[in-house]
């Protein structure tokens, strides 16, 4: 086999590897679930991690609504900050590779907006503004839940 031929094969294999990696980066580890949503397949520990983060966001929303009702805007800002980007920062690369690109974008968008809401209240946002921001934030929760669910990945056969 000529050197030229070998280099063509090497470059082709290299491109295939990049294409496969790119495909998984965009698609994650998923399948279509019987209810029509995209099921993300995660190991039990990874699923727990994501669901714990979710329950944290629900607690944030509850504390924010309570804060607005009590007129305690400091509580609103603190609750929002607790689900800001800092809450998303420690996700490990193996888990990130299993999440579809759109899921990551939606998830990061929600964390970023909680930080923005915290800042909004610090810069004197009104109750109506806060409730408006919270309303659009909740539409992102609803949209993602309508498209995705998390299933346990089949255990690896030994
Ligand atoms: C990027 C997508 C995404 C976003 C954005 C999102 N969620 Fe979730 N959430 C999920 C998925 C997927 C599940 C698992 C649902 C399933 O398997 O049926 C889930 C589950 C939950 C659960 C159940 C937790 C448990 O222990 O079972 C709660 C509560 C929750 N989300 C709250 C929220 C709130 C509140 C928001 C918005 C502030 C939000 N989520 C935004 C994807 C998302």
């Amino acid at each position: 086999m000529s050197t030229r031929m070998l280099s063509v094969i090497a470059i082709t294999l290299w491109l295939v590897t990049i294409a496969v990696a790119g495909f998984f980066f965009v698609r994650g580890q998923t399948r279509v679930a019987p209810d029509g949503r995209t099921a993300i397949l995660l190991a039990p520990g990874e699923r727990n991690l994501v669901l714990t983060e979710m329950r944290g966001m629900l607690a944030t929303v509850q504390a924010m609504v309570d804060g607005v009702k009590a007129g305690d805007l400091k509580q609103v800002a603190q609750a929002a900050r607790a689900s800001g980007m800092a809450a998303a920062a420690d996700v490990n690369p193996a888990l990130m590779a299993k999440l579809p690109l759109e899921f990551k974008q939606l998830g990061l968008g929600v964390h970023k907006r909680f930080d923005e809401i915290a800042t909004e209240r610090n810069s004197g946002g009104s109750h109506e503004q806060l409730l408006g921001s919270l309303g659009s934030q909740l539409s992102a929760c609803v949209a993602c839940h309508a498209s995705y669910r998390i299933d346990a990945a089949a255990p690896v056969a030994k």
Side-chain angles (χ1 to χ4, degrees):
M1 207 183 291
S2 71
T3 320
R4 193 186 146 84
M5 186 74 174
L6 273 177
S7 45
V8 167
I9 292 174
I11 289 173
T12 309
L13 285 176
W14 180 71
L15 289 175
V16 167
T17 309
I18 290 181
V20 169
F23 175 76
F24 281 107
F25 180 74
V26 172
R27 203 199 63 158
Q29 188 172 297
T30 55
R31 70 168 173 225
V32 178
D35 64 9
R37 290 188 291 171
T38 301
I40 304 168
L41 306 175
L42 297 183
E46 295 168 335
R47 182 169 175 271
N48 282 342
L49 191 78
V50 175
L51 294 180
T52 302
E53 195 176 311
M54 292 293 158
R55 293 192 301 276
M57 291 201 288
L58 185 57
T60 279
V61 171
Q62 185 251 327
M64 287 174 71
V65 172
D66 273 359
V68 172
K69 181 168 172 284
D72 184 350
L73 295 188
K74 195 164 167 231
Q75 175 181 331
V76 174
Q78 272 173 355
R81 193 67 79 192
S83 284
M85 286 303 280
D90 60 349
V91 174
N92 74 65
L95 171 55
M96 286 307 263
K98 292 179 186 176
L99 303 175
L101 182 60
E102 189 200 38
F103 186 94
K104 285 182 277 224
Q105 287 169 334
L106 273 169
L108 288 178
V110 164
H111 286 303
K112 202 163 149 259
R113 229 161 309 116
F114 274 130
D115 276 334
E116 284 166 9
I117 295 175
T119 313
E120 198 174 291
R121 109 82 210 165
N122 287 332
S123 58
S126 68
H127 286 196
E128 285 72 24
Q129 261 174 304
L130 278 171
L131 284 179
S133 309
L134 192 54
S136 24
Q137 185 71 316
L138 285 170
S139 347
C141 318
V142 171
C144 192
H145 295 152
S147 307
Y148 293 101
R149 65 183 218 180
I150 299 174
D151 286 1
V156 181
K158 290 218 177 95

